[in-house]
Amino acid sequence: MPKAGKITFLASDSEAAKDALAKLSAIYGSVPLDKAEVIVALGGDGFMLHTLHATQAMDVPVYGMNCGTIGFLMNEYGEEGLRERLESAEEEVINPLSMRATRADGTVHEALAINEVSLLRAGPQAAKLRITIDGKMRMEELVCDGALVCTPAGSTAYNYSAHGPILPIGAEVLALTAMAAFRPRRWRGALLPMTAKVRFDVLDPQKRPVMADADGRSARDVVTVEVQSEPSVRHRILFDPGHGLEERLTREQFV
């Protein structure tokens, strides 16, 4: 990380984050966002994802400080020595997933996801999905509560809760994971190359409606969803030395 320059502090709506914003801005100053050389996001993982999405066109590194709950993407909160921490921080570069979801009425919903793109049943009956990888049909019918494609950075989030694998941050792979698969019974998914283009077709969408979600950006009543890595977009995330994503991903497996 180059010498810490002009800092912009951004905070979530929580009282702890707003209190931290006031204290840190008073100590270090805070420039307008368009002048930032580094962004310090105050909140939890949800706010970090929001900040990364909102500033992705700026190519400015983001350093998170945990004022939330889990804080997997965040550093420990502290008011002392922030400039020194920024100067010694390690940078991780993450490429998001792109989602292109076509709804039953023909409209198309596009969004980017840093963690995962997920399909979820939107009614009382299980979803029925057909899965195609790089133009080749790989599973004719998956009956499940849902399925997701995740990045290595997102592999400890929803994916891990659905019993998907934790992926090393440098791995050039994506995880395709099923939620509560009924048929094939207990099918948990597959590992795919980072370049894979995944297509989900919703079977019987009127009787078994499905919604698609990319980091909280949702589309209902989808009939097809296409997912792939988007190398043209990069998110720069800063971590304190020895506490980067690779260390966190490894540590998570030995809890």
Side-chain angles (χ1 to χ4, degrees), residues 55 71 75 81 94 100 117 125 159 166 189 197 220 237 240-241:
T55 63
N75 298 286
I94 296 173
R100 180 181 172 86
V117 171
Q125 298 196 62
N159 171 72
I166 292 180
K197 296 181 180 180
R220 301 189 68 85
I237 308 178
D240 291 329

Side-chain angles (χ1 to χ4, degrees), residues 120-129 142-146 179-180 182-183 202-211:
L120 302 165
R121 75 177 193 181
Q125 298 196 62
K128 285 188 177 182
L129 307 174
L142 170 65
V143 182
C144 57
D145 279 353
M179 285 89 85
F182 177 73
R183 189 167 56 243
V202 179
L203 309 179
D204 201 2
Q206 290 187 329
K207 183 179 178 181
R208 301 169 183 268
V210 171
M211 65 173 287

Side-chain angles (χ1 to χ4, degrees), residues 8-209:
T8 294
F9 292 98
L10 301 176
S12 71
D13 291 330
S14 74
E15 289 303 317
K18 288 189 284 189
D19 182 60
L21 174 65
K23 290 179 179 177
L24 292 169
S25 297
I27 297 170
Y28 300 100
S30 182
V31 302
L33 185 58
D34 61 354
K35 305 293 184 183
E37 295 176 325
V38 61
I39 297 167
V40 175
L42 306 167
D45 283 341
F47 185 69
M48 183 62 160
L49 291 177
H50 170 80
T51 301
L52 291 170
H53 283 299
T55 63
Q56 68 186 33
M58 296 179 60
D59 195 32
V60 173
V62 180
Y63 179 89
M65 297 185 79
N66 190 21
C67 299
T69 50
I70 298 174
F72 185 80
L73 295 173
M74 314 301 277
N75 298 286
E76 184 178 349
Y77 178 77
E79 296 165 17
E80 303 272 334
L82 176 59
R83 289 195 177 276
E84 290 75 15
R85 290 174 72 179
L86 291 173
E87 289 173 7
S88 62
E90 301 170 348
E91 181 174 305
E92 302 276 7
V93 176
I94 296 173
N95 300 116
L97 299 171
S98 68
M99 176 185 80
R100 180 181 172 86
T102 303
R103 302 179 63 201
D105 63 5
T107 58
V108 175
H109 179 84
E110 296 183 333
L112 296 176
I114 295 165
N115 275 354
E116 76 277 319
V117 171
S118 55
L119 282 77
L120 302 165
R121 75 177 193 181
Q125 298 196 62
K128 285 188 177 182
L129 307 174
R130 177 181 298 125
I131 301 175
T132 303
I133 312 293
D134 293 330
K136 184 173 183 177
M137 196 266 288
R138 292 293 184 179
M139 183 167 290
E140 185 173 354
E141 183 180 275
L142 170 65
V143 182
C144 57
D145 279 353
L148 63 83
V149 178
C150 80
T151 65
S155 64
T156 61
Y158 196 177
N159 171 72
Y160 193 37
S161 296
H163 306 291
I166 292 180
L167 306 176
I169 193 62
E172 293 291 310
V173 297
L174 303 172
L176 167 58
T177 301
M179 285 89 85
F182 177 73
R183 189 167 56 243
R185 183 75 74 178
R186 297 188 182 89
W187 184 77
R188 289 188 175 179
L191 295 179
L192 305 172
M194 187 71 76
T195 57
K197 296 181 180 180
V198 183
R199 175 182 169 120
F200 298 96
D201 288 283
V202 179
L203 309 179
D204 201 2
Q206 290 187 329
K207 183 179 178 181
R208 301 169 183 268

